[in-house]
């Protein structure tokens, strides 16, 4: 089974472009009925059934992101936002098209990736740090700050399974904000935690905005789009519907949801 | 095409942390903890020794037979641990593959490094037993390194190949369990190869063309007694290179398959 694939290249060039996306397509081969397992695969081949259905998710995206832009990506559930982010992060391969990433890229698809409930908070911090590309020495240096910021100092040597979910998120967030890269990819990290935590998130985003950090943020919150983004892209059914001023995109998004609710 | 540096700093850190985590989790919650890395193979050895050496009276003609047996079971455990952990690793770490982007082989190698650590601990035990048993230390002991490396590369190749198929067809795990069971009897671990050779030289030769058998016999030859039959001192025709060819083919084919399929692990796992 040969599947044609697009390209994703990482470069380090001294110009003002952060990401270029050209003619990007992505589809998933979703298994139909019961096509898992060897037996079914052999049956399907004998009967000439493909055993999967092609689900087209992204249908020809073109855009370019400059350094220092804070880009919000919005759209309905299933419009392809998260898939786009995962392709930019290099987790999924594009089906067709070209992506050029200029600079180091740090993705947060989820907070606390690699967290293991059976390990202590301390061990999880080092593990999570390694996934973000920090060495042991770098982690040692920022170790106390992480716990200070998470306000969980007394729990460092407890197993993670004894943390509440809110505590886990606070710890994960506290590690995540230390990550340094030219480009940050954030997927809905705002959507968790209580009001105090939301406040911390907002402060973090504001600091990114003020530092002119290049950020791509997938979100459902039009307030965040209006407040932090310098530009927004509205996705619908795998295509770009609108690309431009955050205000305009936010209104268009709200209008679109209004229409879809009337149906 | 630019060849990426396989073991850059970021990948090294990741490999180290993943291995550490694997090793910690393995013995998590057990009273004896890491001691199990040592106790398990020793107990397995004790059972085999009582059944085969004492009850069935096999191997009494081989000098230092208990150590000879322990050496075989140690290497066999290493091989089975390496392959089954490696094959499972992509699924076990599926969560990670879906969330961050990193070279996928790190997952396979880190899962096997636990087995490598276990092997080193157990080899130390084998050496202690050998000394107690009256084996004289010799420079040839260092010659076990290439044989162990070969065994590792073979299991790495198998893990790459079967592990990448296992992502889509989970049947591989069950099939491999059966194959391992069959291989256990096809390799001279519990029985000495001389026993086979005395009834059929052809059968003994075929057994020795298996890379696992060849590597284990090489280690025994260099570590314990030169009275060991090895592939090299038993087969005198060009087919003697078969074990090395098998290892190379499996490794190269496995690596190519893994490389091709790993692009889609994140979607399929």
């Amino acid at each position: 089974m040969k599947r044609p694939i697009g390209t994703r290249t990482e470069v380090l060039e001294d110009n003002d472009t952060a990401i270029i996306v050209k003619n990007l397509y992505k589809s998933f081969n979703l298994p139909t009925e019961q096509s898992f397992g060897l037996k079914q695969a052999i049956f399907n081949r004998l009967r000439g059934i493909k055993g999967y259905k092609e689900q087209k998710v992204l249908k020809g995206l073109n855009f370019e992101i400059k350094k220092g832009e804070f880009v919000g990506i919005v759209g309905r559930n299933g419009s392809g936002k998260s898939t786009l982010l995962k392709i930019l992060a290099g987790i999924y391969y594009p089906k067709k098209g070209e992506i050029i990433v200029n600079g180091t890229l740090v993705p947060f698809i989820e907070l606390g990736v690699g967290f293991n409930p059976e390990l202590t908070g301390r061990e999880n911090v080092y593990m999570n740090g390694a996934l973000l590309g920090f060495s042991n020495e770098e982690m040692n240096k920022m170790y106390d700050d992480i716990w200070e910021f998470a306000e969980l100092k007394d729990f460092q040597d407890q197993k993670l399974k004894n943390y509440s979910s809110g505590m886990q998120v606070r710890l994960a967030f506290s590690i995540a904000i230390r990550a340094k890269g030219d480009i940050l990819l954030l997927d809905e990290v705002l959507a968790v935690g209580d009001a105090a935590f939301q406040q911390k998130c907002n402060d973090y985003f504001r600091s990114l905005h003020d530092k002119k950090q290049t950020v791509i943020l997938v979100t459902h919150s039009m307030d965040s789009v209006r407040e932090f983004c310098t530009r927004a892209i509205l996705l619908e059914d795998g295509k770009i519907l609108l690309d431009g001023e955050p205000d305009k995109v936010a209104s268009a998004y709200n209008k679109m949801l209004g229409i879809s609710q009337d149906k | 095409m630019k060849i990426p540096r396989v073991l850059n700093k970021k990948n090294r850190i990741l490999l180290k942390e993943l291995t550490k985590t694997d090793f910690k989790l393995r013995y998590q919650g057990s009273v004896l903890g890491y001691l199990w890395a040592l106790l398990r193979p020793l107990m397995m050895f004790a059972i085999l020794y009582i059944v085969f050496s004492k009850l069935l009276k096999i191997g009494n003609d081989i000098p230092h037979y208990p150590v000879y047996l322990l050496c075989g079971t140690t290497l066999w455990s290493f091989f089975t641990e390496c392959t089954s952990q490696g094959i499972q690793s992509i699924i076990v770490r599926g969560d990670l593959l879906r969330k961050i982007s990193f070279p996928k082989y790190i997952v396979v190698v880190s899962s096997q490094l636990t087995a490598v650590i276990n092997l080193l601990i157990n080899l130390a035990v084998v050496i202690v037993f050998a000394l107690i048993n009256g084996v004289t230390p010799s420079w040839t002991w260092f010659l076990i390194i290439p044989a162990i490396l070969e065994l590792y590369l073979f299991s790495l190749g198998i893990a790459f190949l079967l592990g990448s198929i296992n992502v889509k067809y989970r049947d591989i795990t069950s099939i491999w369990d059966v194959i391992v069971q069959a291989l256990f009897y096809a390799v001279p671990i519990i029985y000495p190869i001389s026993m086979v050779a005395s009834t059929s030289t052809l059968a003994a030769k075929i057994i020795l063309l298996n890379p696992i058998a060849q590597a284990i016999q090489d280690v025994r030859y260099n570590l314990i007694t030169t009275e060991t039959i090895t592939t090299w001192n038993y087969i005198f025709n060009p087919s003697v290179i078969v074990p090395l060819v098998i290892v190379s083919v499996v490794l190269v084919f496995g690596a190519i398959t893994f490389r091709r399929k790993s692009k889609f692990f994140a979607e399929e796992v």
Side-chain angles (χ1 to χ4, degrees):
Chain A
M1 184 169 45
K2 229 180 142 117
R3 280 176 282 189
I5 53 171
T7 59
R8 178 184 179 280
T9 30
E10 290 187 16
V11 293
L12 278 174
E13 277 168 11
D14 197 22
N15 55 33
D16 65 344
T17 311
I19 291 178
I20 300 174
V21 173
K22 278 185 206 155
N23 202 25
L24 175 66
Y25 284 84
K26 176 71 193 172
S27 58
F28 293 110
N29 294 336
L30 301 179
T32 51
E33 50 180 293
Q34 256 284 286
S35 68
F36 280 114
L38 215 49
K39 190 187 83 184
Q40 204 61 40
I42 294 166
F43 270 179
N44 286 342
R45 187 148 292 192
L46 290 178
R47 283 195 250 139
I49 300 173
K50 268 197 287 179
Y52 59 83
K53 179 174 133 254
E54 196 181 340
Q55 170 88 17
K56 295 194 174 85
V57 183
L58 298 178
K59 304 165 182 170
L61 302 187
N62 286 291
F63 60 88
E64 190 178 324
I65 291 171
K66 300 267 177 232
K67 281 179 185 159
E69 278 192 306
F70 199 125
V71 182
I73 295 178
V74 300
R76 266 191 280 220
N77 286 333
S79 58
K81 304 183 297 291
S82 294
T83 305
L84 172 61
L85 211 61
K86 283 193 173 183
I87 292 177
L88 291 179
I91 297 169
Y92 291 163
Y93 268 72
K95 189 186 178 206
K96 243 185 349 193
E98 192 183 352
I99 294 166
I100 298 166
V101 176
N102 184 13
T104 56
L105 185 145
V106 180
F108 295 112
I109 303 304
E110 200 182 278
L111 281 175
V113 172
F115 267 12
N116 193 306
E118 289 295 331
L119 296 178
T120 65
R122 183 190 301 272
E123 289 163 337
N124 272 301
V125 166
Y126 278 92
M127 177 73 218
N128 198 248
L131 291 172
L132 292 175
F134 287 120
S135 69
N136 241 337
E137 297 78 58
E138 288 171 297
M139 285 308 289
N140 288 338
K141 259 186 234 155
M142 57 178 98
Y143 184 80
D144 286 328
D145 292 341
I146 289 173
W147 290 97
E148 201 77 57
F149 186 83
E151 296 165 25
L152 290 169
K153 265 205 131 153
D154 300 338
F155 296 90
Q156 319 182 19
D157 292 309
Q158 290 285 321
K159 280 187 182 177
L160 202 74
K161 63 179 174 189
N162 299 328
Y163 285 40
S164 74
S165 53
M167 286 156 77
Q168 291 190 19
V169 170
R170 250 149 64 200
L171 180 58
F173 184 76
S174 182
I175 308 166
I177 58 170
R178 267 144 248 274
K180 286 188 186 70
D182 299 330
I183 307 161
L184 293 186
L185 299 183
L186 307 168
D187 193 355
E188 317 239 32
V189 276
L190 286 162
V192 284
D194 56 14
F197 180 74
Q198 291 284 323
Q199 188 55 46
K200 278 189 172 176
C201 281
N202 284 340
D203 292 346
Y204 172 61
F205 284 122
R206 194 160 300 116
S207 75
L208 291 178
H209 178 91
D210 296 345
K211 274 193 299 196
K212 295 224 177 302
Q213 165 82 44
T214 314
V215 180
I216 299 176
L217 170 73
V218 164
T219 183
H220 283 290
S221 153
M222 290 308 121
D223 291 340
S224 311
V225 171
R226 288 199 171 98
E227 202 176 338
F228 309 115
C229 294
T230 57
R231 174 183 167 192
I233 295 174
L234 174 59
L235 286 186
E236 173 66 4
D237 195 23
K239 289 179 201 136
I240 295 180
L241 209 61
L242 196 63
D243 179 352
E245 289 286 312
D247 265 341
K248 278 184 195 155
V249 173
S251 324
Y253 174 80
N254 283 337
K255 209 174 137 197
M256 190 177 84
L257 280 195
I259 292 165
S260 65
Q261 275 157 10
D262 287 343
K263 257 193 257 176
Chain B
M1 207 184 100
K2 202 176 66 186
I3 298 166
R5 284 193 40 214
V6 185
L7 270 183
N8 62 26
K9 190 175 152 225
K10 198 177 168 209
N11 294 348
R12 274 203 312 270
I13 299 169
L14 198 53
L15 188 59
K16 202 180 99 195
E17 279 299 322
L18 282 176
T19 309
K20 238 162 73 182
T21 314
D22 270 353
F23 200 74
K24 271 185 202 147
L25 285 175
R26 181 79 58 90
Y27 305 104
Q28 189 69 249
S30 60
V31 181
L32 293 177
Y34 300 138
L35 261 183
W36 279 114
L38 213 63
L39 284 176
R40 226 175 25 153
L42 277 182
M43 286 174 165
M44 158 134 169
F45 157 73
I47 295 167
L48 292 176
Y49 180 68
I50 291 166
V51 173
F52 288 90
S53 188
K54 291 292 163 211
L55 298 179
L56 296 174
K57 308 232 180 291
I58 292 173
N60 292 333
D61 51 334
I62 291 180
H64 315 293
Y65 186 70
V67 193
Y68 191 86
L69 181 61
L70 179 64
C71 179
T73 57
T74 299
L75 291 169
W76 176 254
S77 315
F78 170 66
F79 175 76
T80 53
E81 216 183 314
C82 256
T83 47
S84 56
Q85 299 286 351
I87 291 171
Q88 283 291 324
S89 62
I90 305 161
I91 293 170
V92 171
R93 291 283 182 199
D95 188 47
L96 231 52
L97 297 180
R98 265 185 311 233
K99 303 288 164 52
I100 56 169
S101 155
F102 62 99
K104 316 290 185 254
Y105 73 88
I106 288 183
V107 162
V108 178
V109 174
S110 81
S111 76
Q112 295 187 323
L113 281 183
T114 314
V116 173
I117 297 170
N118 284 342
L119 174 73
L120 293 179
I121 298 171
N122 286 310
L123 269 182
V125 175
V126 171
I127 288 174
V128 169
F129 268 54
L131 292 173
I132 294 172
N133 218 267
V135 178
T136 35
S138 136
W139 287 112
T140 61
W141 282 13
F142 288 102
L143 292 174
I144 68 172
I145 295 169
I148 289 173
L149 195 67
E150 180 197 351
L151 196 60
Y152 175 69
L153 291 178
F154 188 44
S155 66
L156 185 66
I158 292 172
F160 274 157
L161 181 65
L162 297 184
S164 45
I165 302 173
N166 195 38
V167 173
K168 229 175 165 181
Y169 305 111
R170 308 280 164 105
D171 316 59
I172 296 293
T173 314
S174 313
I175 295 172
W176 183 248
D177 281 349
V178 178
I179 295 178
V180 162
Q181 204 47 247
L183 273 176
F184 181 68
Y185 294 102
V187 174
I189 297 166
I190 40 173
Y191 58 87
I193 184 80
S194 52
M195 217 172 81
V196 181
S198 62
T199 41
S200 158
T201 34
L202 182 67
K205 279 179 180 170
I206 291 172
I207 287 174
L208 283 170
L209 290 182
N210 177 345
I212 311 168
Q214 174 248 311
I216 291 182
Q217 291 303 93
D218 279 3
V219 172
R220 284 169 163 171
Y221 179 90
N222 289 311
L223 194 64
I224 298 162
T225 167
T226 48
E227 281 173 49
T228 309
I229 295 175
T230 69
T231 309
W232 320 110
N233 67 19
Y234 198 68
I235 301 172
F236 295 102
N237 58 49
S239 68
V240 72
I241 61 159
V242 166
L244 297 178
V245 172
I246 294 176
V247 171
S248 316
V249 168
V250 169
L251 185 62
V252 170
F253 188 61
I256 293 171
T257 310
F258 187 83
R259 205 187 140 97
R260 196 163 47 86
K261 288 199 181 278
S262 67
K263 295 189 170 89
F264 303 101
F265 284 166
E267 298 170 25
E268 283 168 353
V269 73

